[in-house]
Amino acid sequence: MELFGSSGIRGVALRYLTPELVLDIAKAAGSVWDADRVAVARDTRTTGELFVNAAASGLAAVGCDVDRLGVVPTPAVGNYCESTGVPAVLVTASHNPPEFNGIKLVGDDGVELSVDVLERVERRVLDDEYDLADWRTAGATTAVEGAVDDYVDQLLDAVDREAIADAGLTVAVDPGHGAASVASPRIYRELGCDVLTVNATPDGHFPGRDSEPIAENLEALSRLVATSEADVGIAHDGDADRAVFVDEDGGFVDGDTSFAAMADACVEPGDSVVSAVNVSQRLVDVCDANDADLELTPIGATNIITRTRELHEAGVNVPVAGEGNGGLFFPPYRLSRDGAYIGARFLELLADAGEPVSDVVAPYADYHFVRRNVEYADAAERDEMLSAARAYVETADAKPNTTDGYRLDYGDAWVLVRPSGTEPKVRIYAESADPDRAEQLATDMLVAVESGR
């Protein structure tokens, strides 16, 4: 696809992502959906209102009435769509820096659109083909209140409130000034936890930290947990569809480790787990130990959703899916990522174990993961870099997996190189039980990629 990447459309606001492009995407989506009503919503980014206005105009232009939800977490949009039976245009750039914005399209079942439907929307934009209304049939706009309240209520009903409350947990929450600010602290309080917060005021400039919840951005949360003697820290990205954790000592728990721990708690023999091609050995081991299949897809939520749907249609149970960035799906709950729900499931795990976070995740923390990013100036430079990577893997003593980029598995370690679906970067991932081995694999691939500049 030319427009939609692995998780929607993203780019620098008013440079790549323009009001004109958002208008066209909304017109195309409204034409493909053929819906009477469509919701629009946004995260806290400063350009969000501008793009929501463009999206509402595009939808009204093809005859859709527009429900304006305001600033809400992405999972709250999914809940609204599922409960009302309307699709949505969501303005968000998730974990990207504040100068970015983007578009996600959510179906009337509360799930992001599958690849085939996105391709139909994209084709409408590229062909400039829309089912335009006239002055008599143009859509009207309504401001909708209560979408966050309804979302909070359904999430609380979906988890074991009593077990979490009985555990008497103190939880430190870092919404990163994003959309989680309006929901997550409230959710964990209503689950019976004592809640402390940092970076919990909605602010699209992200003054306290960058939006991506990675270790180097969570120093304030780590200090809060360590100094307050909290049991766990929970951090979200800008649109609140991811959750990562900090242990009781303020130590960062990487997403691959928490994914493996939560998968181990719910996977049974005969199940399938869906993840991306950069999957950790931790999850491979969990699936093997539980007699479950592991299905690999290209990186990105859209691809994971599409494959999970295919498995469901084939009668296969998928209790959990996702990636090691904190973005997990629990399909029996909903086939969409929900940061607050992921956090609540982790609290259930802590309550059941009766042990501190560090002990709960210890069995899954044996491997060392390395990521490198190499920025490129344009498509030509990207292609040269990938060509250099291809030449490198063709000489390697391992068979490449080409599901998405090039992955080399060495038995005790692996390395993957692929272009990002959301940023102008080539990404390199490596993992091994031996930190030096992982670092060396990543460095060797980095040298090969940079030789193509």
Side-chain angles (χ1 to χ4, degrees):
M1 292 185 289
E2 295 182 40
L3 295 176
F4 291 96
S6 57
S7 294
I9 296 174
R10 294 182 202 164
V12 175
L14 304 179
R15 295 296 182 267
Y16 173 76
L17 191 74
T18 64
E20 293 83 2
L21 178 57
V22 174
L23 182 81
D24 287 344
I25 292 167
K27 288 190 296 184
S31 299
V32 168
W33 281 323
D34 192 26
D36 293 330
R37 292 166 54 208
V38 177
V40 296
R42 67 182 182 93
D43 65 18
T44 58
R45 291 169 190 273
T46 59
T47 54
E49 187 68 17
L50 182 158
F51 290 127
V52 160
N53 290 338
S57 295
L59 292 166
V62 294
C64 300
D65 290 334
V66 179
D67 295 350
R68 299 188 65 140
L69 308 185
V71 174
V72 295
T74 287
V77 177
N79 179 66
Y80 184 82
C81 293
E82 183 182 36
S83 61
T84 61
V86 303
V89 176
L90 174 58
V91 176
T92 178
S94 188
H95 66 277
N96 288 100
E99 65 270 22
F100 280 68
N101 217 323
I103 298 292
K104 289 182 180 179
L105 301 178
V106 181
D108 59 12
D109 57 356
V111 179
E112 291 180 45
L113 300 189
S114 58
V115 172
D116 60 327
V117 181
L118 286 174
E119 287 175 342
R120 291 168 55 199
V121 173
E122 182 172 291
R123 180 46 50 197
R124 290 268 190 161
V125 175
L126 297 177
D127 291 345
D128 197 26
E129 182 181 324
Y130 314 108
D131 298 337
L132 295 173
D134 62 22
W135 66 271
R136 292 163 296 189
T137 56
T141 298
T142 303
V144 174
E145 304 291 339
V148 172
D149 294 338
D150 292 342
Y151 159 67
V152 170
D153 290 343
Q154 65 83 31
L155 188 152
L156 295 173
D157 288 341
V159 297
D160 191 343
R161 300 176 67 171
E162 184 175 352
I164 295 172
D166 288 347
L169 299 170
T170 298
V171 179
V173 183
D174 181 353
H177 300 292
S181 302
V182 304
S184 282
R186 170 183 167 187
I187 286 169
Y188 299 128
R189 288 191 180 98
E190 296 198 25
L191 286 173
C193 302
D194 291 330
V195 175
L196 310 170
T197 62
V198 63
N199 301 320
T201 54
D203 189 332
H205 294 92
F206 304 135
R209 68 165 171 88
D210 288 342
S211 182
E212 187 168 14
I214 53 179
E216 52 263 43
N217 293 337
L218 300 181
E219 293 180 359
L221 177 63
S222 294
R223 285 195 302 270
L224 177 60
V225 172
T227 58
S228 67
E229 299 184 350
D231 295 290
V232 62
I234 302 175
H236 300 296
D237 59 338
D239 68 334
D241 67 355
R242 290 161 56 178
V244 298
F245 306 98
V246 169
D247 71 19
E248 73 280 1
D249 298 318
F252 180 73
V253 179
D254 66 77
D256 285 308
T257 298
S258 55
F259 187 1
M262 286 190 278
D264 205 8
C266 65
V267 170
E268 297 182 354
D271 288 344
S272 284
V273 176
V274 181
S275 190
V277 71
N278 62 339
V279 65
S280 169
Q281 189 68 32
R282 300 164 176 84
L283 189 62
V284 174
D285 292 344
V286 164
C287 290
D288 288 345
N290 287 281
D291 259 346
D293 293 326
L294 179 60
E295 296 270 346
L296 298 186
T297 74
I299 290 174
T302 299
N303 299 306
I304 292 172
I305 289 168
T306 299
R307 184 57 184 151
T308 302
R309 276 178 159 158
E310 291 171 351
L311 290 169
H312 279 171
E313 291 169 0
V316 178
N317 184 49
V318 181
V320 65
E323 298 174 280
N325 59 9
L328 302 187
F329 301 81
F330 293 90
Y333 165 69
R334 180 179 293 119
L335 189 51
S336 59
R337 299 182 299 190
D338 185 334
Y341 181 78
I342 296 165
R345 289 291 294 259
F346 196 74
L347 296 182
E348 287 183 342
L349 189 61
L350 297 181
D352 181 63
E355 298 175 342
V357 173
S358 57
D359 288 347
V360 169
V361 303
Y364 317 98
D366 292 338
Y367 277 69
H368 183 70
F369 183 80
V370 179
R371 183 170 79 170
R372 301 277 189 267
N373 292 319
V374 187
E375 296 186 0
Y376 57 81
D378 51 37
E381 185 175 41
R382 176 200 63 201
D383 292 345
E384 288 296 325
M385 291 162 69
L386 292 175
S387 178
R390 183 174 64 249
Y392 173 81
V393 303
E394 287 174 350
T395 64
D397 187 23
K399 182 179 179 180
N401 179 317
T402 57
T403 299
D404 183 359
Y406 302 97
R407 176 178 170 129
L408 295 172
D409 284 290
Y410 293 92
D412 66 325
W414 58 269
V415 62
L416 168 71
V417 58
R418 65 176 290 276
S420 169
T422 59
E423 299 179 85
K425 297 176 181 178
V426 172
R427 301 199 189 277
I428 297 167
Y429 311 84
E431 186 182 42
S432 173
D434 180 352
D436 292 338
R437 171 85 160 134
E439 293 284 354
Q440 190 61 57
L441 286 171
T443 298
D444 290 347
M445 184 64 78
L446 177 66
V447 169
V449 167
E450 290 190 327
S451 71
R453 287 186 182 277

